[in-house]
Amino acid sequence: MGSGYSQELVINLKGVGEKTSKLFEKCGVRTVGDLLSYYPRAYDGFLPPVRACDAISGQVNAVKLTIIGSIVKRRVRNLSIIAFEAADETGRIKMTYFNAPYLASSLKSGTTHIFRGMVQKKGSFLTMDQPKMYSIEEYSSLIGKLLPRYPLVKGLTNNAVMKAMEQAFLGAEASKEYIPNDILDRLGLIGLSEAVRGIHFPANEKMLEDARRRLAYNEFLLFLLRLRLLKKNSEELSNSFPMLETSETRRLLEVLPYKLTSAQLQAWEDILHDISGPSVMNRLIQGDVGSGKTILAFMALLTAAANGYQAALMAPTEVLAAQHFEGFKELIDKYGITSLKPILLTGALSAKDKREAQRLISLGEVNCIIGTNALIQDKVDYKNLALVVTDEQHRFGVRQREALAGKGFNTHVLAMSATPIPRTLAIILYGDLHISIINELPGGRLPIKNCVVGTDYRPKAYKFIKDQVETGRQAYVICPMIEEGELDGLCNVTDYTEILRQNLPPSIRVEMLHGKMKPKEKDEIMEAFARKDIDVLVSTTVIEVGINVPNATVMMIENAERYGLSQLHQLRGRVGRGKHQSYCIFLNTSEGEDAKKRLDIMNKSNDGFKIAEEDLRQRGPGDLFGVRQSGDLNFRVGDIYHDSDLVKESAMDADRILSEDPDLSLPQYRVLKETLATKSANFIDFATL
Ligand code: ADP
Ligand code: MG
């Protein structure tokens, strides 16, 4: 298909109407190209049917059962309900269907079917709601197949996405290959067209893995080519903003209530060495959660300011940017720091405040700009920007770093990340950066105590939170959803806040925080929590990155099985940041063995590097997809741990391609070059479809 086809709007696909296309738009899908790169988040495998006694509650099962007894039809308001029981020699399951009158004719006592759907234990019974029914022949032809499960929004069904996808493939011609054949052959990678189809409609697990690997390779190669091109531009750039150590940082180190750890001191020396040296700084500070990276950022920003320059700190969320801003102001007041004049610049500011901030920045009246993405918007006109610090580096793409660095002339870059990436991979993936590792936590910290528990533990957990709050501490509770109805069976922040208010004494102040709140409200809640005006904060994962409230000692994570391990590690990292004993409660609501095994890793270790390694070791082919949805580098299908061989291979390929053809001007790299020019670094793209 020419690029014309991928630009075609989804509404022009057969069967996609106004309503569906609006829903697609909510998912960021406007064109056929968008649709084809809208990957499933998981797959349903059609396994051979099991016996009733082997059905696992909380999971999708296919069970071969015979209908027994009578079929009960009822009406409740405008809902028609069909209920019956089905059994084999090992047990029975209660079936319920809603508004499915067409089923009535095929349901006969004594007939045998395969029922496939979520099995749930209710009291002493197993139940299935709305299971799909298959004849035995029909089902046996499906065994081994994988059906895609797409990320959905309310109103958009998986079926609708699948249908649209099938239509998209009908109109599609072969994708234009842009990886040279010798590379594909050497690595045993399949063609692009085949891979795109395979990621949506894999015939079997092998096909899925082949497709995933191929697309992962694309992501890595594009990412690394960009990185190399970026590095080529910045390498050996001379230092246009030489800095001298300021007495203010030295004094700060003396008056801080703690001593820097030796790893922090080493990193600080690395930074000083870079910014006072002959070339521009490009440094990554890698340190586990709570290792104390913020103070280093502060000292670097302060040094730039004291040397008469501007400096900026970019955070991935508004909440975190606001927290840094408040924290810095506190340090400035407390220790009488005079040279640093910070200002907050986020998308949350009113247009008027934003204009005012931009005015102060362009006049140079402030010298430390703290914010989010708003920092790289074109309107911001820096004056003498010498240093850019990015917090939680893994949340940013190379392109953002590039854009921000482009705001100044040979700006120094200090990136900070808590993602534990083995050094060999870090060198490749952050190839344009020098690396300092903070491999120790501040002394005097007690290791976090963990427990993995089931839903029946909730009352005890609430009591525990109550006790902690009564001794003066604070707690976080994390829920995956914001409000009811987004996904069944998962906790949501809105209802949970009410539940906690009812279960805790009225003196305990419970509030909520989530991404749909206005930025201003979010800030107010975070500030109130930091001031200890809130005792228990019920939140989505918006608090995952960087938030620092050392008085908080309890982290309770509902539906913990829903998260990737590195995300859990980040969440847990919100506690254990002060001198008090901290606790993390992982509430596992699944009965699956895999979930238990994965959470067990969290239970046993507080070490980010170990967790990453164990995670990799334990995962089987079934978990390859979507486990690591967040954190790490934001590849969509590539997983730097699982696909570490491809990371290394693609790094070599990128080097070879660029040494042969530094500007990618040879005909065989034309499409590759176009792709690089049009799409963001980390994302696989279908510009060539
Ligand atoms: P992270 O590395 O996760 O960004 P922070 O910089 O937010 O961690 O630091 C976590 C907490 O540890 C903060 O409250 C900070 O004041 C404190 N801290 C930082 N360095 C030290 C140290 N050397 N000794 C004791 N506490 C420290
Ligand atoms: Mg931090």
Side-chain angles (χ1 to χ4, degrees), residues 395 478-479 539-545 563 567 571:
R395 289 302 185 100
I478 307 298
C479 301
S539 170
T540 55
T541 54
V542 291
I543 61 117
E544 165 198 344
V545 278
Y563 303 101
Q567 198 173 8
L571 285 168

Side-chain angles (χ1 to χ4, degrees), residues 20-95:
T20 313
S21 83
K22 283 242 162 66
L23 293 168
F24 269 131
E25 208 153 307
K26 277 195 189 162
C27 309
V29 172
R30 253 172 36 84
T31 64
V32 170
D34 296 338
L35 182 65
L36 290 174
S37 53
Y38 195 64
Y39 298 155
R41 62 179 173 80
Y43 299 84
D44 266 345
F46 284 82
L47 298 172
V50 298
R51 297 179 303 172
C53 66
D54 295 326
I56 299 172
S57 166
Q59 286 187 11
V60 170
N61 294 256
V63 198
K64 182 177 162 186
L65 300 169
T66 305
I67 298 177
I68 53 169
S70 56
I71 291 163
V72 181
K73 293 177 201 153
R74 278 185 295 145
R75 268 197 95 77
V76 177
R77 271 174 265 142
N78 50 2
L79 203 64
S80 76
I81 300 174
I82 300 178
F84 57 91
E85 288 187 15
D88 62 13
E89 62 282 5
T90 70
R92 59 171 72 182
I93 298 183
K94 285 190 169 179
M95 307 287 173

